[in-house]
Amino acid sequence: MKSFIVGIISFFVGIIVAIGAIFLVLKFVPIKSYTDMAGVEAEDVMSDQVYSKSVLDAAFGLSEFTMNDIKIIKDAVLEFANDEEVKKYVTVDEEAFGELTFANLSSGLADCITLKNIDDMYLVEVMPVSGNEDIYAILRDATGVTVNSQIKVSHLKEFNIDNIYIVNILDVAGNEMIYDVLRDGTGKATNEEIKVSDLMDFDVANVKISTFLSSSAVASNKILKAVYGDGTVTIGELSNRINNTPIQEVYKVDCFTTNEADASGISAKYSYNEADGSYTLDASGDYYISAKSGAWFFIFYGTVGGTNIDGDATLYRPTAYTMGGLEEKVDEINDHIENATIKQLIDIGILTNPHGDYSPLIYASTLDQVLRAIS
């Protein structure tokens, strides 16, 4: 029992001695001794105000040390703050930070480290121009800043889509027809002048038909071919142009012919007056009424001065019918046919007389007169 008690007392005495030894080391051995044993130059990580003290003295005086005294901490913070990405948003007053004590760390840090105002940041700091040329072209238009490097985040608040030029959004190559239409509709002389705001004033009525339809594309459409002209007619003019186009320009029908084989066989001769396009009854003339003209004849020509005893009109003059007025003239055309002589109806091919069965005595009569005589 006695030996057990002696053993316990020896154990605790050993612990006390060990603690005392550790205390003596921490209290009286300078920190530089530890760094030397570790192969570290104390001057590289702290000032002599720190490494000349013992661990305990340094710990108790920590609040009075500055960042300059604890170089290892200072260097780590500055290395982080000077990172290429971090310093875009943060600036550090290195001199003030170095003088900052640990006691004032929480209150003084804000005076040393400042967050940049993002509005004052230049876009090139976060988005390089290389690879983003199209975006910068749009940004220059919309912000009014002509130099890429001068565009700030704050300028984006003034971003105006109306000022963007269309060529910076839509390539001209491959979209030539679209740009042709845009120039017509906006009135701009060149592609490079057209802005987004111009689209608000786009007037489809000013777009020329030739901009989206070639002359070959309208060749099979009689009406479009007639109004196409030199290609300057616009969509807005199209309706009036169609309405005012003479029907002769749309439908090409040869109502007179110099080929006797195309005539009825009893057709009289006519001479042509180039001045007004009329045909006058003339025994020495070169033209016959074409038996292929049919009812078209009375759409294109009207009888002037009546007919002679043979049923032939003494003068045919071109009508002034237009495409737009044709519907109103239907009754008039019906009257022409109804009041035409039998000879005229034979000449234009509405009535056929292949064997000469009709008596010349009725040539001068109208179809109505003949039918009434029969009845």
Side-chain angles (χ1 to χ4, degrees):
M1 181 67 177
K2 180 179 179 180
S3 60
F4 174 76
I5 293 173
V6 171
I8 290 297
I9 292 173
S10 298
F11 173 76
F12 281 108
V13 169
I15 292 176
I16 292 171
V17 171
I19 292 174
I22 293 172
F23 173 78
L24 290 174
V25 170
L26 294 179
K27 173 62 179 174
F28 296 105
V29 178
I31 293 175
K32 190 175 188 308
S33 298
Y34 300 110
T35 59
D36 289 344
M37 287 188 291
V40 177
E41 294 292 335
E43 294 85 351
D44 293 338
V45 294
M46 62 190 74
S47 70
D48 61 351
Q49 295 295 322
V50 179
Y51 67 66
S52 63
K53 296 182 182 298
S54 68
V55 173
L56 287 179
D57 288 343
F60 288 122
L62 182 63
S63 62
E64 300 303 321
F65 293 146
T66 66
M67 293 296 111
N68 287 330
D69 291 326
I70 313 296
K71 296 178 182 179
I72 189 170
I73 297 177
K74 175 187 174 183
D75 292 344
V77 172
L78 293 181
E79 182 180 0
F80 173 77
N82 287 319
D83 180 81
E84 287 299 321
E85 291 300 318
V86 175
K87 70 180 182 180
K88 294 175 183 177
Y89 309 98
V90 174
T91 55
V92 178
D93 185 338
E94 295 188 15
E95 184 176 351
F97 180 71
E99 298 296 329
L100 186 65
T101 64
F102 279 86
N104 297 323
L105 185 61
S106 60
S107 60
L109 194 60
D111 296 329
C112 302
I113 300 178
T114 306
L115 291 176
K116 287 184 178 179
N117 184 348
I118 191 171
D119 284 349
D120 292 331
M121 289 180 58
Y122 291 98
L123 284 186
V124 292
E125 295 179 10
V126 293
M127 182 175 69
V129 177
S130 179
N132 296 294
E133 289 82 0
D134 291 344
I135 295 177
Y136 273 98
I138 292 173
L139 290 174
R140 290 196 305 272
D141 291 346
T143 63
V145 181
T146 58
V147 180
N148 293 334
S149 61
Q150 296 303 308
I151 302 175
K152 295 181 178 181
V153 172
S154 59
H155 289 135
L156 301 183
K157 296 178 182 179
E158 302 164 7
F159 188 95
N160 189 344
I161 192 172
D162 287 347
N163 292 332
I164 298 175
Y165 288 93
I166 299 298
V167 291
N168 288 330
I169 303 174
L170 181 68
D171 289 337
V172 176
N175 296 293
E176 289 82 1
M177 181 178 290
I178 293 177
Y179 275 97
D180 291 342
V181 172
L182 288 176
R183 288 197 308 276
D184 285 351
T186 61
K188 299 297 182 180
T190 64
N191 298 332
E192 290 70 23
E193 296 178 64
I194 306 172
K195 294 182 178 181
V196 172
S197 58
D198 293 321
L199 302 184
M200 301 299 294
D201 299 320
F202 183 89
D203 190 350
V204 69
N206 292 331
V207 179
K208 296 187 290 292
I209 296 177
S210 60
T211 298
F212 54 90
L213 287 177
S214 65
S215 57
S216 59
V218 302
S220 61
N221 187 298
K222 295 181 182 296
I223 296 177
L224 286 179
K225 182 180 179 181
V227 300
Y228 192 87
D230 60 0
T232 60
V233 62
T234 65
I235 292 176
E237 298 169 337
L238 187 58
S239 179
N240 286 336
R241 182 67 70 91
I242 291 175
N243 288 338
N244 294 324
T245 298
I247 195 169
Q248 290 93 333
E249 292 184 16
V250 179
Y251 298 100
K252 306 296 183 182
V253 178
D254 294 324
C255 292
F256 287 88
T257 178
T258 57
N259 186 357
E260 188 176 359
D262 292 334
S264 64
I266 59 172
S267 178
K269 289 187 175 183
Y270 288 84
S271 59
Y272 176 63
N273 184 348
E274 190 173 355
D276 63 0
S278 63
Y279 289 85
T280 303
L281 187 64
D282 182 358
S284 60
D286 297 318
Y287 292 89
Y288 302 94
I289 295 175
S290 173
K292 297 178 180 179
S293 57
W296 284 105
F297 186 90
F298 291 116
I299 295 177
F300 291 134
Y301 292 94
T303 301
V304 179
T307 57
N308 61 16
I309 59 174
D310 296 322
D312 295 312
T314 55
L315 178 66
Y316 285 113
R317 183 170 292 156
T319 61
Y321 297 156
T322 62
M323 292 297 297
L326 185 59
E327 185 176 353
E328 300 175 1
K329 298 294 185 178
V330 170
D331 290 340
E332 188 175 315
I333 295 170
N334 287 338
D335 288 340
H336 288 331
I337 296 175
E338 185 177 342
N339 294 316
T341 64
I342 298 297
K343 177 68 160 45
Q344 289 177 302
L345 296 177
I346 293 174
D347 283 343
I348 66 176
I350 287 183
L351 293 178
T352 57
N353 187 28
H355 305 297
D357 296 333
Y358 296 139
S359 168
L361 296 178
I362 66 170
Y363 283 174
S365 300
T366 66
L367 185 60
D368 179 67
Q369 290 171 337
V370 172
L371 293 176
R372 288 181 182 278
I374 294 173
S375 63

